[in-house]
Amino acid sequence: AGFGLFGVGAAMAILRTGSNMGIQLARRNLLATLEIPSRDYSYQWVMQWLISSTGNSTRHLSVETTYTKDGSGHVRTAFDFIPSPGRHWMTHRGILVVVDRDRQQTAM
């Protein structure tokens, strides 16, 4: 009974190590990461794409407000609901896309 229990424990440890190595290998070879600073011009384009891709499927939203004032003093304010920081799952052209949004600095 002792050798059988030892064998089962060893097999489970080998499976756990093998699955961890498989996940690391898949992450290295199958996933790509993209970092877009908020100051970059493409940031707004990606945010608009994220809004259109997630649609009503996300429940955690942030508000992004744009405020412009023209020369005559007229003020134009617009706002968009954008997915809040966190992990968002969606499909794009039939391919699973995982967007992990985070903030580098905390708001005060």
Side-chain angles (χ1 to χ4, degrees), residues 79-97:
F79 64 92
D80 287 318
F81 291 109
I82 58 173
S84 65
R87 183 166 289 165
H88 302 278
W89 299 72
M90 67 194 79
T91 58
H92 178 68
R93 297 183 182 171
I95 298 172
L96 178 65
V97 177

Side-chain angles (χ1 to χ4, degrees), residues 4-70:
L5 188 57
F6 174 75
V8 169
M12 293 300 286
I14 290 170
L15 285 173
R16 182 179 60 233
T17 303
S19 67
N20 286 341
M21 288 175 57
I23 289 170
Q24 288 177 358
L25 183 67
R27 283 186 180 165
R28 253 185 255 134
N29 294 319
L30 300 176
L31 299 179
T33 59
L34 174 67
E35 179 179 341
I36 303 173
S38 60
R39 296 174 305 278
D40 195 319
Y41 290 116
S42 64
Y43 179 79
Q44 292 302 322
W45 301 334
V46 172
M47 285 288 99
Q48 291 301 320
W49 174 76
L50 193 57
I51 292 165
S52 66
S53 297
T54 56
N56 293 332
S57 64
T58 185
R59 294 177 184 232
H60 301 284
L61 300 169
S62 297
V63 175
E64 185 175 72
T65 307
T66 55
Y67 174 86
T68 56
K69 187 175 183 179
D70 61 9

